[in-house]
């Protein structure tokens, strides 16, 4: 019985380690390939538009509002401060629609024609924290309710 349990343990260990060993081998083989890139400033081509970030679809920024200072301020600096950290130049945010369209529901900024409230939700707060030179875009993840006219 001792022989069988030792053999079973060896098979179990090999089964668990095999994917890691294969991944290591694949990484080494993949890393061996080389790519050459020629940069010629006299010719036209693609231009670098900058670094962007997205906040939406799952509440990935929701917890940031609740961070204590100075940690929250430091994270915001790493994200948005020009010439520091990521120095994000464009931010896309989810425009909430009061539905759970993804992993997290974001409230709508307008429930009726006369009900404009940009303090609902965390996306508006995040846009306020971003640099004034930062470009922002809104992504609507929910269609308006049928028959609802604002």
């Amino acid at each position: 019985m001792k022989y069988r349990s030792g053999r079973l343990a060896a098979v179990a260990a090999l089964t668990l380690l095999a994917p890691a060993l294969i991944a290591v081998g694949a990484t080494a083989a993949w890393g061996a390939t080389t790519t050459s890139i020629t940069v010629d400033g006299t010719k036209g081509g693609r231009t670098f538009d900058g670094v962007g970030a997205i906040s939406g679809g799952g509440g990935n920024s929701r917890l940031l509002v609740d961070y204590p200072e100075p940690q929250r301020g430091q994270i915001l600096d790493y994200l948005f401060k020009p010439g520091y950290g990521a120095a994000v130049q464009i931010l896309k945010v989810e425009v909430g629609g009061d539905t759970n369209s993804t992993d997290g529901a974001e409230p709508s900024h307008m429930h009726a024609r006369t009900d404009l409230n940009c303090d609902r939700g965390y996306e508006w707060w995040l846009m306020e924290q971003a640099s004034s030179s930062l470009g922002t875009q809104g992504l609507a993840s929910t269609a308006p309710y049928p028959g609802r006219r604002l």
Side-chain angles (χ1 to χ4, degrees):
M1 191 67 164
K2 186 176 183 182
Y3 172 73
R4 277 189 160 183
S5 64
R7 191 165 139 190
L8 183 61
V11 169
L14 184 58
T15 303
L16 294 174
L17 292 175
L21 295 172
I22 291 168
V24 168
T27 303
W30 179 78
T33 61
T34 59
T35 303
S36 95
I37 299 172
T38 304
V39 178
D40 185 350
T42 63
K43 295 183 179 177
R46 295 182 139 185
T47 58
F48 179 70
D49 292 331
V51 177
I54 188 165
S55 169
N60 50 9
S61 322
R62 169 59 191 96
L63 298 176
L64 187 56
V65 177
D66 298 327
Y67 271 55
E69 287 295 345
Q71 289 84 4
R72 180 177 63 203
Q74 291 169 346
I75 293 169
L76 291 168
D77 283 348
Y78 279 122
L79 288 171
F80 303 124
K81 189 175 180 180
Y84 182 79
V88 170
Q89 288 105 12
I90 190 161
L91 174 67
K92 286 186 175 185
V93 297
E94 180 178 359
V95 177
D98 290 329
T99 62
N100 194 7
S101 59
T102 55
D103 292 335
E106 176 72 5
S108 177
H109 62 284
M110 189 177 240
H111 293 124
R113 186 183 304 260
T114 58
D115 177 40
L116 176 62
N117 182 349
C118 294
D119 290 326
R120 291 186 188 119
Y122 58 90
E123 301 290 7
W124 293 99
W125 173 86
L126 185 62
M127 287 189 288
E128 287 176 342
Q129 305 307 306
S131 170
S132 60
S133 62
L134 185 76
T136 56
Q137 293 180 351
L139 301 170
S141 59
T142 306
Y145 293 116
R148 186 172 119 187
R149 296 184 182 192
L150 296 178

mmCIF file of all heavy atoms in Angstrom, residues 86-132:
data_model
loop_
_atom_site.group_PDB
_atom_site.id
_atom_site.type_symbol
_atom_site.label_atom_id
_atom_site.label_comp_id
_atom_site.label_asym_id
_atom_site.label_seq_id
_atom_site.Cartn_x
_atom_site.Cartn_y
_atom_site.Cartn_z
ATOM 1 N N ALA A 86 1.832 57.157 -14.724
ATOM 2 C CA ALA A 86 1.257 56.814 -16.024
ATOM 3 C C ALA A 86 0.987 58.055 -16.866
ATOM 4 O O ALA A 86 1.012 57.992 -18.085
ATOM 5 C CB ALA A 86 -0.039 56.028 -15.842
ATOM 6 N N ALA A 87 0.726 59.183 -16.232
ATOM 7 C CA ALA A 87 0.427 60.442 -16.941
ATOM 8 C C ALA A 87 -0.616 60.213 -18.033
ATOM 9 O O ALA A 87 -0.423 60.572 -19.186
ATOM 10 C CB ALA A 87 1.699 61.066 -17.504
ATOM 11 N N VAL A 88 -1.721 59.603 -17.645
ATOM 12 C CA VAL A 88 -2.793 59.274 -18.584
ATOM 13 C C VAL A 88 -3.291 60.539 -19.278
ATOM 14 O O VAL A 88 -3.504 61.561 -18.646
ATOM 15 C CB VAL A 88 -3.951 58.569 -17.830
ATOM 16 C CG1 VAL A 88 -5.176 58.426 -18.677
ATOM 17 C CG2 VAL A 88 -3.487 57.221 -17.319
ATOM 18 N N GLN A 89 -3.451 60.474 -20.605
ATOM 19 C CA GLN A 89 -3.922 61.634 -21.372
ATOM 20 C C GLN A 89 -5.394 61.558 -21.734
ATOM 21 O O GLN A 89 -5.989 62.565 -22.093
ATOM 22 C CB GLN A 89 -3.111 61.796 -22.662
ATOM 23 C CG GLN A 89 -1.703 62.276 -22.430
ATOM 24 C CD GLN A 89 -0.685 61.170 -22.604
ATOM 25 O OE1 GLN A 89 -0.978 60.109 -23.108
ATOM 26 N NE2 GLN A 89 0.521 61.417 -22.143
ATOM 27 N N ILE A 90 -5.987 60.377 -21.681
ATOM 28 C CA ILE A 90 -7.410 60.245 -21.998
ATOM 29 C C ILE A 90 -8.026 59.213 -21.062
ATOM 30 O O ILE A 90 -7.404 58.207 -20.736
ATOM 31 C CB ILE A 90 -7.658 59.885 -23.476
ATOM 32 C CG1 ILE A 90 -9.133 59.995 -23.786
ATOM 33 C CG2 ILE A 90 -7.116 58.516 -23.808
ATOM 34 C CD1 ILE A 90 -9.434 60.108 -25.274
ATOM 35 N N LEU A 91 -9.235 59.504 -20.615
ATOM 36 C CA LEU A 91 -9.947 58.620 -19.700
ATOM 37 C C LEU A 91 -11.329 58.334 -20.264
ATOM 38 O O LEU A 91 -12.078 59.257 -20.572
ATOM 39 C CB LEU A 91 -10.084 59.284 -18.325
ATOM 40 C CG LEU A 91 -10.919 58.546 -17.287
ATOM 41 C CD1 LEU A 91 -10.233 57.248 -16.875
ATOM 42 C CD2 LEU A 91 -11.149 59.434 -16.071
ATOM 43 N N LYS A 92 -11.643 57.071 -20.434
ATOM 44 C CA LYS A 92 -12.987 56.667 -20.844
ATOM 45 C C LYS A 92 -13.720 56.176 -19.606
ATOM 46 O O LYS A 92 -13.174 55.398 -18.831
ATOM 47 C CB LYS A 92 -12.939 55.539 -21.877
ATOM 48 C CG LYS A 92 -12.526 55.973 -23.246
ATOM 49 C CD LYS A 92 -12.654 54.813 -24.212
ATOM 50 C CE LYS A 92 -12.359 55.268 -25.624
ATOM 51 N NZ LYS A 92 -12.580 54.207 -26.601
ATOM 52 N N VAL A 93 -14.939 56.640 -19.431
ATOM 53 C CA VAL A 93 -15.732 56.227 -18.279
ATOM 54 C C VAL A 93 -17.090 55.709 -18.742
ATOM 55 O O VAL A 93 -17.579 56.075 -19.803
ATOM 56 C CB VAL A 93 -15.933 57.371 -17.266
ATOM 57 C CG1 VAL A 93 -14.620 57.830 -16.677
ATOM 58 C CG2 VAL A 93 -16.668 58.529 -17.888
ATOM 59 N N GLU A 94 -17.686 54.875 -17.922
ATOM 60 C CA GLU A 94 -19.011 54.342 -18.215
ATOM 61 C C GLU A 94 -20.067 55.387 -17.856
ATOM 62 O O GLU A 94 -20.028 55.978 -16.786
ATOM 63 C CB GLU A 94 -19.261 53.074 -17.405
ATOM 64 C CG GLU A 94 -20.609 52.469 -17.648
ATOM 65 C CD GLU A 94 -20.823 51.185 -16.863
ATOM 66 O OE1 GLU A 94 -19.915 50.744 -16.144
ATOM 67 O OE2 GLU A 94 -21.919 50.625 -16.979
ATOM 68 N N VAL A 95 -20.990 55.604 -18.772
ATOM 69 C CA VAL A 95 -22.130 56.471 -18.491
ATOM 70 C C VAL A 95 -23.208 55.555 -17.929
ATOM 71 O O VAL A 95 -23.723 54.683 -18.623
ATOM 72 C CB VAL A 95 -22.632 57.170 -19.772
ATOM 73 C CG1 VAL A 95 -23.866 58.002 -19.474
ATOM 74 C CG2 VAL A 95 -21.534 58.022 -20.366
ATOM 75 N N GLY A 96 -23.513 55.733 -16.666
ATOM 76 C CA GLY A 96 -24.443 54.845 -15.984
ATOM 77 C C GLY A 96 -25.858 54.950 -16.519
ATOM 78 O O GLY A 96 -26.296 55.993 -16.991
ATOM 79 N N GLY A 97 -26.577 53.846 -16.389
ATOM 80 C CA GLY A 97 -27.955 53.810 -16.852
ATOM 81 C C GLY A 97 -28.885 53.107 -15.883
ATOM 82 O O GLY A 97 -29.950 52.643 -16.269
ATOM 83 N N ASP A 98 -28.495 53.013 -14.607
ATOM 84 C CA ASP A 98 -29.316 52.397 -13.561
ATOM 85 C C ASP A 98 -29.549 50.907 -13.742
ATOM 86 O O ASP A 98 -30.458 50.350 -13.159
ATOM 87 C CB ASP A 98 -30.676 53.087 -13.438
ATOM 88 C CG ASP A 98 -30.570 54.477 -12.848
ATOM 89 O OD1 ASP A 98 -29.679 54.730 -12.031
ATOM 90 O OD2 ASP A 98 -31.392 55.310 -13.231
ATOM 91 N N THR A 99 -28.775 50.253 -14.559
ATOM 92 C CA THR A 99 -28.940 48.818 -14.733
ATOM 93 C C THR A 99 -27.628 48.112 -14.451
ATOM 94 O O THR A 99 -26.555 48.709 -14.550
ATOM 95 C CB THR A 99 -29.373 48.462 -16.169
ATOM 96 O OG1 THR A 99 -28.351 48.881 -17.067
ATOM 97 C CG2 THR A 99 -30.682 49.112 -16.540
ATOM 98 N N ASN A 100 -27.720 46.867 -14.113
ATOM 99 C CA ASN A 100 -26.524 46.070 -13.881
ATOM 100 C C ASN A 100 -26.123 45.443 -15.207
ATOM 101 O O ASN A 100 -26.345 44.276 -15.464
ATOM 102 C CB ASN A 100 -26.793 45.006 -12.816
ATOM 103 C CG ASN A 100 -25.508 44.400 -12.315
ATOM 104 O OD1 ASN A 100 -24.422 44.853 -12.658
ATOM 105 N ND2 ASN A 100 -25.622 43.382 -11.498
ATOM 106 N N SER A 101 -25.543 46.251 -16.073
ATOM 107 C CA SER A 101 -25.209 45.803 -17.423
ATOM 108 C C SER A 101 -23.898 45.035 -17.474
ATOM 109 O O SER A 101 -23.612 44.358 -18.440
ATOM 110 C CB SER A 101 -25.130 47.014 -18.351
ATOM 111 O OG SER A 101 -24.142 47.903 -17.879
ATOM 112 N N THR A 102 -23.078 45.174 -16.442
ATOM 113 C CA THR A 102 -21.795 44.474 -16.411
ATOM 114 C C THR A 102 -21.622 43.890 -15.018
ATOM 115 O O THR A 102 -22.566 43.388 -14.454
ATOM 116 C CB THR A 102 -20.655 45.443 -16.773
ATOM 117 O OG1 THR A 102 -20.709 46.562 -15.895
ATOM 118 C CG2 THR A 102 -20.764 45.929 -18.201
ATOM 119 N N ASP A 103 -20.443 44.030 -14.449
ATOM 120 C CA ASP A 103 -20.209 43.508 -13.099
ATOM 121 C C ASP A 103 -20.598 44.493 -12.008
ATOM 122 O O ASP A 103 -20.574 44.155 -10.839
ATOM 123 C CB ASP A 103 -18.735 43.132 -12.919
ATOM 124 C CG ASP A 103 -18.356 41.946 -13.774
ATOM 125 O OD1 ASP A 103 -19.254 41.163 -14.102
ATOM 126 O OD2 ASP A 103 -17.183 41.820 -14.109
ATOM 127 N N GLY A 104 -20.890 45.714 -12.371
ATOM 128 C CA GLY A 104 -21.275 46.710 -11.383
ATOM 129 C C GLY A 104 -22.244 47.704 -11.989
ATOM 130 O O GLY A 104 -22.083 48.133 -13.117
ATOM 131 N N ALA A 105 -23.269 48.052 -11.251
ATOM 132 C CA ALA A 105 -24.264 48.999 -11.746
ATOM 133 C C ALA A 105 -23.812 50.420 -11.434
ATOM 134 O O ALA A 105 -23.337 50.712 -10.349
ATOM 135 C CB ALA A 105 -25.615 48.738 -11.094
ATOM 136 N N GLU A 106 -23.961 51.292 -12.392
ATOM 137 C CA GLU A 106 -23.631 52.712 -12.220
ATOM 138 C C GLU A 106 -24.931 53.488 -12.376
ATOM 139 O O GLU A 106 -25.648 53.316 -13.360
ATOM 140 C CB GLU A 106 -22.611 53.133 -13.270
ATOM 141 C CG GLU A 106 -22.250 54.596 -13.263
ATOM 142 C CD GLU A 106 -21.398 55.029 -12.078
ATOM 143 O OE1 GLU A 106 -20.987 54.184 -11.275
ATOM 144 O OE2 GLU A 106 -21.146 56.237 -11.943
ATOM 145 N N PRO A 107 -25.261 54.358 -11.409
ATOM 146 C CA PRO A 107 -26.523 55.102 -11.505
ATOM 147 C C PRO A 107 -26.504 56.124 -12.634
ATOM 148 O O PRO A 107 -25.456 56.649 -13.000
ATOM 149 C CB PRO A 107 -26.655 55.786 -10.150
ATOM 150 C CG PRO A 107 -25.280 55.825 -9.598
ATOM 151 C CD PRO A 107 -24.527 54.666 -10.189
ATOM 152 N N SER A 108 -27.676 56.391 -13.152
ATOM 153 C CA SER A 108 -27.823 57.387 -14.205
ATOM 154 C C SER A 108 -27.702 58.790 -13.628
ATOM 155 O O SER A 108 -28.083 59.040 -12.488
ATOM 156 C CB SER A 108 -29.187 57.226 -14.882
ATOM 157 O OG SER A 108 -29.363 58.231 -15.857
ATOM 158 N N HIS A 109 -27.198 59.713 -14.412
ATOM 159 C CA HIS A 109 -27.087 61.102 -13.981
ATOM 160 C C HIS A 109 -28.396 61.860 -14.198
ATOM 161 O O HIS A 109 -28.553 62.978 -13.734
ATOM 162 C CB HIS A 109 -25.953 61.809 -14.731
ATOM 163 C CG HIS A 109 -26.173 61.864 -16.212
ATOM 164 N ND1 HIS A 109 -25.990 60.762 -17.012
ATOM 165 C CD2 HIS A 109 -26.598 62.864 -17.008
ATOM 166 C CE1 HIS A 109 -26.284 61.097 -18.254
ATOM 167 N NE2 HIS A 109 -26.651 62.345 -18.286
ATOM 168 N N MET A 110 -29.352 61.226 -14.897
ATOM 169 C CA MET A 110 -30.614 61.894 -15.184
ATOM 170 C C MET A 110 -31.734 60.859 -15.254
ATOM 171 O O MET A 110 -31.742 60.016 -16.133
ATOM 172 C CB MET A 110 -30.506 62.664 -16.500
ATOM 173 C CG MET A 110 -31.653 63.567 -16.809
ATOM 174 S SD MET A 110 -31.324 64.465 -18.350
ATOM 175 C CE MET A 110 -31.380 66.128 -17.769
ATOM 176 N N HIS A 111 -32.668 60.936 -14.314
ATOM 177 C CA HIS A 111 -33.791 60.007 -14.300
ATOM 178 C C HIS A 111 -35.022 60.575 -14.996
ATOM 179 O O HIS A 111 -35.920 59.833 -15.364
ATOM 180 C CB HIS A 111 -34.159 59.633 -12.861
ATOM 181 C CG HIS A 111 -33.092 58.828 -12.192
ATOM 182 N ND1 HIS A 111 -32.512 59.208 -11.005
ATOM 183 C CD2 HIS A 111 -32.463 57.683 -12.553
ATOM 184 C CE1 HIS A 111 -31.598 58.333 -10.650
ATOM 185 N NE2 HIS A 111 -31.552 57.396 -11.588
ATOM 186 N N ALA A 112 -35.090 61.864 -15.127
ATOM 187 C CA ALA A 112 -36.208 62.541 -15.793
ATOM 188 C C ALA A 112 -35.670 63.822 -16.405
ATOM 189 O O ALA A 112 -34.544 64.242 -16.120
ATOM 190 C CB ALA A 112 -37.317 62.848 -14.805
ATOM 191 N N ARG A 113 -36.477 64.465 -17.228
ATOM 192 C CA ARG A 113 -36.040 65.668 -17.933
ATOM 193 C C ARG A 113 -35.510 66.752 -16.981
ATOM 194 O O ARG A 113 -34.573 67.473 -17.293
ATOM 195 C CB ARG A 113 -37.209 66.216 -18.749
ATOM 196 C CG ARG A 113 -36.859 67.380 -19.642
ATOM 197 C CD ARG A 113 -38.089 67.910 -20.369
ATOM 198 N NE ARG A 113 -38.753 66.868 -21.120
ATOM 199 C CZ ARG A 113 -38.623 66.691 -22.421
ATOM 200 N NH1 ARG A 113 -37.865 67.475 -23.120
ATOM 201 N NH2 ARG A 113 -39.263 65.711 -23.033
ATOM 202 N N THR A 114 -36.091 66.857 -15.807
ATOM 203 C CA THR A 114 -35.703 67.917 -14.858
ATOM 204 C C THR A 114 -34.789 67.403 -13.752
ATOM 205 O O THR A 114 -34.525 68.117 -12.794
ATOM 206 C CB THR A 114 -36.969 68.525 -14.223
ATOM 207 O OG1 THR A 114 -37.693 67.477 -13.568
ATOM 208 C CG2 THR A 114 -37.826 69.201 -15.275
ATOM 209 N N ASP A 115 -34.309 66.182 -13.860
ATOM 210 C CA ASP A 115 -33.519 65.563 -12.791
ATOM 211 C C ASP A 115 -32.080 65.338 -13.238
ATOM 212 O O ASP A 115 -31.681 64.225 -13.548
ATOM 213 C CB ASP A 115 -34.164 64.228 -12.395
ATOM 214 C CG ASP A 115 -33.361 63.499 -11.334
ATOM 215 O OD1 ASP A 115 -32.848 64.153 -10.415
ATOM 216 O OD2 ASP A 115 -33.240 62.265 -11.449
ATOM 217 N N LEU A 116 -31.288 66.391 -13.294
ATOM 218 C CA LEU A 116 -29.875 66.273 -13.649
ATOM 219 C C LEU A 116 -29.057 66.302 -12.365
ATOM 220 O O LEU A 116 -29.101 67.278 -11.614
ATOM 221 C CB LEU A 116 -29.443 67.414 -14.576
ATOM 222 C CG LEU A 116 -27.958 67.446 -14.931
ATOM 223 C CD1 LEU A 116 -27.558 66.177 -15.676
ATOM 224 C CD2 LEU A 116 -27.639 68.667 -15.756
ATOM 225 N N ASN A 117 -28.334 65.224 -12.101
ATOM 226 C CA ASN A 117 -27.526 65.129 -10.887
ATOM 227 C C ASN A 117 -26.226 64.410 -11.231
ATOM 228 O O ASN A 117 -26.189 63.181 -11.323
ATOM 229 C CB ASN A 117 -28.288 64.376 -9.791
ATOM 230 C CG ASN A 117 -27.494 64.315 -8.504
ATOM 231 O OD1 ASN A 117 -26.314 64.651 -8.459
ATOM 232 N ND2 ASN A 117 -28.151 63.874 -7.445
ATOM 233 N N CYS A 118 -25.172 65.173 -11.409
ATOM 234 C CA CYS A 118 -23.874 64.599 -11.784
ATOM 235 C C CYS A 118 -23.074 64.129 -10.571
ATOM 236 O O CYS A 118 -21.917 63.749 -10.711
ATOM 237 C CB CYS A 118 -23.075 65.608 -12.591
ATOM 238 S SG CYS A 118 -23.836 65.969 -14.180
ATOM 239 N N ASP A 119 -23.683 64.166 -9.386
ATOM 240 C CA ASP A 119 -23.008 63.651 -8.198
ATOM 241 C C ASP A 119 -23.345 62.187 -7.937
ATOM 242 O O ASP A 119 -22.859 61.602 -6.989
ATOM 243 C CB ASP A 119 -23.377 64.487 -6.966
ATOM 244 C CG ASP A 119 -22.770 65.872 -7.029
ATOM 245 O OD1 ASP A 119 -21.654 66.016 -7.559
ATOM 246 O OD2 ASP A 119 -23.418 66.822 -6.550
ATOM 247 N N ARG A 120 -24.182 61.595 -8.752
ATOM 248 C CA ARG A 120 -24.507 60.174 -8.593
ATOM 249 C C ARG A 120 -23.366 59.331 -9.153
ATOM 250 O O ARG A 120 -22.866 59.590 -10.235
ATOM 251 C CB ARG A 120 -25.784 59.817 -9.351
ATOM 252 C CG ARG A 120 -27.023 60.410 -8.774
ATOM 253 C CD ARG A 120 -28.251 59.877 -9.512
ATOM 254 N NE ARG A 120 -29.429 60.587 -9.094
ATOM 255 C CZ ARG A 120 -30.201 61.312 -9.898
ATOM 256 N NH1 ARG A 120 -29.921 61.398 -11.179
ATOM 257 N NH2 ARG A 120 -31.250 61.936 -9.430
ATOM 258 N N GLY A 121 -23.006 58.302 -8.419
ATOM 259 C CA GLY A 121 -21.996 57.374 -8.907
ATOM 260 C C GLY A 121 -20.572 57.865 -8.715
ATOM 261 O O GLY A 121 -20.325 58.974 -8.245
ATOM 262 N N TYR A 122 -19.638 57.027 -9.076
ATOM 263 C CA TYR A 122 -18.221 57.330 -8.876
ATOM 264 C C TYR A 122 -17.517 57.811 -10.131
ATOM 265 O O TYR A 122 -16.440 58.384 -10.062
ATOM 266 C CB TYR A 122 -17.493 56.100 -8.313
ATOM 267 C CG TYR A 122 -17.605 54.876 -9.181
ATOM 268 C CD1 TYR A 122 -16.680 54.612 -10.171
ATOM 269 C CD2 TYR A 122 -18.658 53.987 -9.014
ATOM 270 C CE1 TYR A 122 -16.788 53.503 -10.977
ATOM 271 C CE2 TYR A 122 -18.765 52.863 -9.819
ATOM 272 C CZ TYR A 122 -17.838 52.623 -10.788
ATOM 273 O OH TYR A 122 -17.953 51.520 -11.581
ATOM 274 N N GLU A 123 -18.104 57.588 -11.306
ATOM 275 C CA GLU A 123 -17.422 57.982 -12.541
ATOM 276 C C GLU A 123 -17.286 59.503 -12.644
ATOM 277 O O GLU A 123 -16.259 60.013 -13.079
ATOM 278 C CB GLU A 123 -18.151 57.436 -13.765
ATOM 279 C CG GLU A 123 -18.275 55.930 -13.804
ATOM 280 C CD GLU A 123 -16.968 55.190 -14.038
ATOM 281 O OE1 GLU A 123 -15.887 55.795 -14.052
ATOM 282 O OE2 GLU A 123 -17.036 53.969 -14.214
ATOM 283 N N TRP A 124 -18.331 60.229 -12.242
ATOM 284 C CA TRP A 124 -18.260 61.692 -12.279
ATOM 285 C C TRP A 124 -17.179 62.180 -11.325
ATOM 286 O O TRP A 124 -16.428 63.100 -11.634
ATOM 287 C CB TRP A 124 -19.604 62.310 -11.928
ATOM 288 C CG TRP A 124 -20.654 62.035 -12.946
ATOM 289 C CD1 TRP A 124 -21.626 61.075 -12.885
ATOM 290 C CD2 TRP A 124 -20.827 62.695 -14.200
ATOM 291 N NE1 TRP A 124 -22.390 61.095 -14.019
ATOM 292 C CE2 TRP A 124 -21.923 62.086 -14.846
ATOM 293 C CE3 TRP A 124 -20.163 63.732 -14.838
ATOM 294 C CZ2 TRP A 124 -22.371 62.489 -16.088
ATOM 295 C CZ3 TRP A 124 -20.610 64.129 -16.082
ATOM 296 C CH2 TRP A 124 -21.690 63.512 -16.694
ATOM 297 N N TRP A 125 -17.088 61.554 -10.153
ATOM 298 C CA TRP A 125 -16.056 61.921 -9.188
ATOM 299 C C TRP A 125 -14.677 61.694 -9.790
ATOM 300 O O TRP A 125 -13.791 62.530 -9.667
ATOM 301 C CB TRP A 125 -16.226 61.085 -7.905
ATOM 302 C CG TRP A 125 -15.108 61.293 -6.930
ATOM 303 C CD1 TRP A 125 -15.007 62.273 -5.993
ATOM 304 C CD2 TRP A 125 -13.911 60.520 -6.834
ATOM 305 N NE1 TRP A 125 -13.819 62.149 -5.310
ATOM 306 C CE2 TRP A 125 -13.138 61.079 -5.811
ATOM 307 C CE3 TRP A 125 -13.429 59.410 -7.502
ATOM 308 C CZ2 TRP A 125 -11.900 60.565 -5.440
ATOM 309 C CZ3 TRP A 125 -12.194 58.900 -7.142
ATOM 310 C CH2 TRP A 125 -11.443 59.481 -6.115
ATOM 311 N N LEU A 126 -14.500 60.549 -10.457
ATOM 312 C CA LEU A 126 -13.205 60.231 -11.049
ATOM 313 C C LEU A 126 -12.825 61.250 -12.123
ATOM 314 O O LEU A 126 -11.674 61.683 -12.200
ATOM 315 C CB LEU A 126 -13.228 58.816 -11.635
ATOM 316 C CG LEU A 126 -11.906 58.290 -12.179
ATOM 317 C CD1 LEU A 126 -10.863 58.213 -11.066
ATOM 318 C CD2 LEU A 126 -12.109 56.928 -12.813
ATOM 319 N N MET A 127 -13.798 61.654 -12.938
ATOM 320 C CA MET A 127 -13.499 62.664 -13.963
ATOM 321 C C MET A 127 -13.095 63.996 -13.337
ATOM 322 O O MET A 127 -12.227 64.691 -13.853
ATOM 323 C CB MET A 127 -14.700 62.858 -14.879
ATOM 324 C CG MET A 127 -14.907 61.704 -15.830
ATOM 325 S SD MET A 127 -16.161 62.022 -17.080
ATOM 326 C CE MET A 127 -17.654 61.950 -16.107
ATOM 327 N N GLU A 128 -13.703 64.341 -12.209
ATOM 328 C CA GLU A 128 -13.326 65.578 -11.509
ATOM 329 C C GLU A 128 -11.895 65.513 -10.993
ATOM 330 O O GLU A 128 -11.198 66.526 -10.937
ATOM 331 C CB GLU A 128 -14.268 65.846 -10.345
ATOM 332 C CG GLU A 128 -15.640 66.299 -10.753
ATOM 333 C CD GLU A 128 -16.570 66.461 -9.564
ATOM 334 O OE1 GLU A 128 -16.286 65.924 -8.476
ATOM 335 O OE2 GLU A 128 -17.590 67.131 -9.736
ATOM 336 N N GLN A 129 -11.457 64.320 -10.587
ATOM 337 C CA GLN A 129 -10.111 64.158 -10.037
ATOM 338 C C GLN A 129 -9.031 64.203 -11.113
ATOM 339 O O GLN A 129 -7.880 64.489 -10.826
ATOM 340 C CB GLN A 129 -9.994 62.834 -9.274
ATOM 341 C CG GLN A 129 -11.013 62.646 -8.188
ATOM 342 C CD GLN A 129 -11.064 63.790 -7.218
ATOM 343 O OE1 GLN A 129 -10.055 64.180 -6.647
ATOM 344 N NE2 GLN A 129 -12.240 64.350 -7.038
ATOM 345 N N ALA A 130 -9.419 63.894 -12.327
ATOM 346 C CA ALA A 130 -8.455 63.865 -13.427
ATOM 347 C C ALA A 130 -7.995 65.289 -13.750
ATOM 348 O O ALA A 130 -8.666 66.266 -13.464
ATOM 349 C CB ALA A 130 -9.092 63.214 -14.653
ATOM 350 N N SER A 131 -6.871 65.380 -14.371
ATOM 351 C CA SER A 131 -6.299 66.669 -14.755
ATOM 352 C C SER A 131 -7.228 67.416 -15.709
ATOM 353 O O SER A 131 -7.932 66.809 -16.519
ATOM 354 C CB SER A 131 -4.958 66.430 -15.431
ATOM 355 O OG SER A 131 -4.467 67.605 -16.015
ATOM 356 N N SER A 132 -7.210 68.730 -15.638
ATOM 357 C CA SER A 132 -8.061 69.532 -16.522
ATOM 358 C C SER A 132 -7.621 69.427 -17.981
ATOM 359 O O SER A 132 -8.404 69.689 -18.882
ATOM 360 C CB SER A 132 -8.049 70.992 -16.076
ATOM 361 O OG SER A 132 -6.733 71.501 -16.124
#
